[in-house]
Amino acid sequence: MTAWLRTGDPFAVQATDLTLAYQQRPVLWDVDLEVPQGVLMAIVGPNGAGKTTLLRTALGLLRPAAGEVRIFGRPYAEQRRLVAYVPQRGSVDWDFPTTALDIVTMGTYGGLGWVKRPGAAERSRATAALAQVGMQAYADRQISQLSGGQQQRVFLARALVQDAQIYLMDEPFQGVDATTERAIVDLLRALRADGKTVVAVHHDLQTVAEYFDQVTLLNVRRIAAGPVEKVFTEENLRLTYGGRVAGIGGRGNGTPLDMSP
Amino acid sequence: MDLLSDLFLDYTLRTVALGSAALGVVSGALGAFAVLRRQALLGDAMSHAALPGVALAFLVTGSRAPLVLMIGAALTGWLAAAAIVYIVRASRIRTDTAMALMLSVFFGAGLVVLTFIQRQPAAGKAGLDKFLFGQAAAMLESDVITMASVGAVGLLGVLVLWKEFKLLSFDPDFAATLGMPTRRLDMLLTSLLVIAIVVGLKTVGVVLMSAMVVAPGAAARQWTNRLGVMVTLSALFGAAAGVLGALLSTTAETSTGPTIVLVATGLVVVSLLFAPARGLVWTRMHAWRSQRILALEAVMSDLAALAAQHSSDATRPHDVAALHAVRGRALVDRALGELAADGLARRHDGGGWSLTPRGLAEADRLARMRRTPDNDL
């Protein structure tokens, strides 16, 4: 069970020299991603910087032209079980005919193997995960009747049920209300306290320092990476966002740059 | 009804009904997945692309055995699907263009081969043109047996890989991170859809077969929020449309395909209009009812505000003009009437209005509810 620990590898996720291009335009160019164990890391960068691509490449959903991804020192394909994925909420059709509990139960499919259907054990684990994100009352709700924040929490619960070591999240805070944001932050801290590692694509520069320990600044190339207090500087942000500093507060709300610590 | 007694007595009608039920169940069940995966048009392309397969299978083997023609149809239908996927992946042509392209190319090729066959003097050529618009009347017991067995393979596939197909349909990326071979599953589910299409091809015809794939699923989605129920309902709707349409076309001597499709469309229209929660009638009524309730609450809060200014006598009458001044006249008058009927407001002798004590309590409850922060996240 703890085979992943024996390697003694300091990095939970280590991607080296990742390069990926669409039609001769590099989306990621020679990017390294090094995530120490047990930290909360934000991936920050402007739109089109390759943040989601980096995450999807780390998950094996996209094949890089060059480079490799290691999870606790071993290839991703061997370590798949240790990694849980929380996709962007907008990546699925929420009008799909099913309930919140059923979506969370999907997190158990990986351990079930072929053909076997989830049973009472899987459902009770899913119920527990829903409770962990404060959604137990909504277990039987059709998923389209949930608010954006609730849908995001259902996705988080689905990842929790996987009982992974590493959680890769694509904009978990996007479009959620303050209460859900609070709940997600608490959840991230609880995961860290359990020794888990979280990597999240994050848009709101103002909360990076408050929510995360580490940050990777990305704009096709890796601009900087490391502890937030060292790396998240005005200078690095300027390098990451180029001249377009006025709109960097995420989604064009015109936040000026001086909020970096 | 003659049709009903004929159904049990007449051998031909019974064969037609059984075959159409089989094809309806299979295309309904697999069509439900196609609808959820937004592959309705892919179904259309594949059914048109089955035509050259039918014609070529006959040309090569000289046989009109249902299984032979089905295999031919499945091969070219599947080839078209593969070609669409390949074109989208390898070029910058988008899916809709690729589908339209393959549909017309394969269908055109099918028509060419078909006309070539028609000009041959060989015996047994007759009947292939029925594949265009379908014909139920000529259905034989051997057809039904083939349709049912081939269709059973399709249904079995869905049952065995239920959870895999469910996850593939909802969130293929997540399925891939769990280690599921999503490309192969995708191919498999598409192949099962091809099976569903070829089963109905001779009865419904290549031109309209896609309606039998899409209509039952679209209708079923209206009635339920569970995948299992939706797929089952879709299969039942498919069977109902198949049987009803085939029997109608056989007795009225109309083309089978179009008749089946009209029945299926009828199911869709009824579902779109009258299904609870999702139907147009239901949502319209729901909107209308909540508008009315909002109007009632607004007038109640106005009356409560007026009462609050005279705290010594809360049920003292107020002139309607004071209410008309802040809301629409018609809205106020209608709301007052309903409030009075519910015993929440009353009209005083002088013509003025006030809330009753019960109305005051209700207005107070509503106001407090509005003040409490919404804990529904």
Side-chain angles (χ1 to χ4, degrees):
Chain A
M1 185 55 218
T2 50
W4 55 273
L5 273 174
R6 265 188 276 122
T7 63
D9 196 290
F11 293 118
V13 183
Q14 185 176 32
T16 39
D17 308 337
L18 286 186
T19 297
L20 198 137
Y22 292 128
Q23 267 118 26
Q24 268 114 55
R25 208 176 57 88
V27 182
L28 294 175
W29 197 46
D30 199 32
V31 170
D32 293 335
L33 175 70
E34 285 165 341
V35 189
Q37 289 183 36
V39 304
L40 306 180
M41 177 185 273
I43 298 179
V44 170
N47 291 332
K51 304 183 295 294
T52 296
T53 305
L54 177 57
L55 219 56
R56 291 171 60 82
T57 310
L59 285 157
L61 294 172
L62 295 171
R63 198 176 305 164
E68 60 159 8
V69 178
R70 288 184 166 261
I71 303 294
F72 293 113
R74 302 233 295 269
Y76 169 77
E78 293 173 26
Q79 305 278 62
R80 198 188 288 286
R81 281 293 160 70
L82 305 176
V83 184
Y85 174 40
V86 182
Q88 266 181 43
R89 184 157 50 82
S91 66
V92 302
D93 175 13
W94 288 93
D95 197 36
F96 196 83
T98 194
T99 59
L101 183 66
D102 197 41
I103 297 296
V104 179
T105 310
M106 288 173 178
T108 67
Y109 286 7
L112 276 176
W114 288 96
V115 180
K116 205 171 160 238
R117 304 267 182 102
E122 282 74 28
R123 266 193 300 279
S124 84
R125 277 173 55 208
T127 309
L130 266 180
Q132 240 178 305
V133 296
M135 288 281 294
Q136 62 274 42
Y138 299 88
D140 291 324
R141 278 279 177 96
Q142 148 70 14
I143 51 174
S144 66
Q145 291 160 11
L146 301 172
S147 71
Q150 290 170 336
Q151 291 173 344
Q152 189 64 59
R153 295 196 210 188
V154 167
F155 263 4
L156 283 166
R158 183 176 70 172
L160 288 177
V161 122
Q162 291 181 265
D163 196 25
Q165 294 301 321
I166 299 165
Y167 292 79
L168 302 185
M169 306 181 179
D170 201 346
E171 302 206 22
F173 294 104
Q174 195 193 33
V176 305
D177 52 83
T179 323
T180 295
E181 180 147 344
R182 206 67 248 161
I184 296 175
V185 171
D186 290 344
L187 185 70
L188 294 188
R189 291 188 175 145
L191 285 172
R192 180 176 54 190
D194 278 352
K196 317 275 186 182
T197 308
V198 177
V199 181
V201 171
H202 194 58
H203 251 301
D204 183 8
L205 295 183
Q206 306 190 53
T207 50
V208 168
E210 187 190 344
Y211 295 167
F212 295 94
D213 320 316
Q214 297 244 336
V215 63
T216 292
L217 294 165
L218 186 75
N219 191 351
V220 183
R221 296 187 305 158
R222 186 178 80 169
I223 308 296
V228 170
E229 63 275 13
K230 285 209 188 104
V231 174
F232 199 64
T233 61
E234 201 172 321
E235 169 67 13
N236 279 337
L237 280 170
R238 208 183 298 283
L239 283 171
T240 310
Y241 286 85
R244 296 175 292 140
V245 283
I248 57 171
R251 299 288 132 109
N253 59 6
T255 316
L257 195 61
D258 56 27
M259 83 298 239
S260 59
Chain B
M1 198 175 148
D2 279 351
L3 192 63
L4 209 61
S5 60
D6 283 354
L7 189 54
F8 292 100
L9 302 172
D10 187 304
Y11 172 79
T12 313
L13 281 187
R14 206 170 49 207
T15 310
V16 167
L18 278 177
S20 318
L23 90 86
V25 164
V26 180
S27 59
L30 281 150
F33 280 97
V35 167
L36 289 175
R37 302 205 313 143
R38 295 155 193 248
Q39 287 188 335
L41 283 174
L42 182 67
D44 199 23
M46 289 193 301
S47 64
H48 278 80
L51 187 63
V54 173
L56 286 172
F58 173 73
L59 209 58
V60 171
T61 65
S63 157
R64 281 196 302 155
L67 191 62
V68 171
L69 300 185
M70 273 188 201
I71 289 173
L75 282 179
T76 51
W78 196 87
L79 202 66
I84 291 166
V85 172
Y86 177 77
I87 289 174
V88 172
R89 211 171 276 160
S91 74
R92 300 181 82 157
I93 293 174
R94 271 184 297 202
T95 314
D96 57 335
T97 314
M99 284 195 295
L101 213 60
M102 286 303 109
L103 184 151
S104 33
V105 165
F106 276 76
F107 189 57
L111 287 176
V112 168
V113 182
L114 208 59
T115 41
F116 174 74
I117 292 172
Q118 297 299 100
R119 282 196 280 111
Q120 300 295 304
K125 69 182 182 188
L128 281 198
D129 56 327
K130 293 284 183 276
F131 271 91
L132 279 179
F133 294 108
Q135 189 184 44
M139 208 186 286
L140 302 172
E141 204 178 287
S142 63
D143 291 312
V144 176
I145 291 171
T146 314
M147 286 162 78
S149 351
V150 173
V153 174
L155 289 184
L156 197 70
V158 170
L159 280 180
V160 169
L161 293 175
W162 179 263
K163 93 171 180 299
E164 284 78 10
F165 286 154
K166 186 207 274 187
L167 186 50
L168 181 75
S169 306
F170 174 66
D171 193 349
D173 281 348
F174 186 75
T177 68
L178 293 183
M180 286 186 185
T182 45
R183 268 199 196 183
R184 260 174 286 165
L185 281 170
D186 185 10
M187 216 154 73
L188 187 62
L189 189 49
T190 307
S191 306
L192 295 183
L193 186 61
V194 172
I195 286 182
I197 288 170
V198 302
V199 163
L201 224 45
K202 195 181 172 191
T203 314
V204 185
V206 298
V207 176
L208 291 170
M209 187 55 208
S210 69
M212 272 307 281
V213 171
V214 179
R221 179 67 191 87
Q222 291 293 107
W223 298 92
T224 176
N225 279 326
R226 298 285 183 282
L227 181 64
V229 182
M230 177 182 163
V231 172
T232 314
L233 258 186
S234 184
L236 291 176
F237 285 170
V243 172
L244 218 64
L247 291 180
L248 280 175
S249 80
T250 309
T251 48
E253 290 177 24
T254 54
S255 288
T256 309
T259 315
I260 288 182
V261 168
L262 282 182
V263 176
T265 310
L267 281 173
V268 173
V269 170
V270 169
S271 304
L272 281 179
L273 285 178
F274 300 111
R278 292 175 77 95
L280 286 177
V281 171
W282 196 92
T283 42
R284 206 40 72 71
M285 276 181 40
H286 191 76
W288 178 74
R289 200 180 314 143
S290 46
Q291 258 173 20
R292 218 193 64 206
I293 289 171
L294 276 177
L296 287 186
E297 290 184 6
V299 171
M300 269 171 73
S301 90
D302 290 348
L303 276 171
L306 288 172
Q309 294 176 27
H310 305 272
S311 49
S312 54
D313 181 12
T315 53
R316 164 181 187 254
H318 300 279
D319 199 315
V320 192
L323 295 168
H324 286 165
V326 286
R327 315 252 172 219
R329 178 181 286 264
L331 180 149
V332 168
D333 292 345
R334 185 155 16 91
L336 283 176
E338 289 185 33
L339 288 173
D342 290 345
L344 295 170
R346 83 184 176 88
R347 188 162 191 248
H348 293 255
D349 294 335
W353 282 84
S354 78
L355 290 172
T356 62
R358 200 154 65 80
L360 278 168
E362 180 65 13
D364 188 45
R365 193 183 65 83
L366 286 172
R368 257 184 292 121
M369 233 169 66
R370 225 167 280 137
R371 267 199 306 274
T372 335
D374 195 346
N375 54 8
D376 187 51
L377 310 164

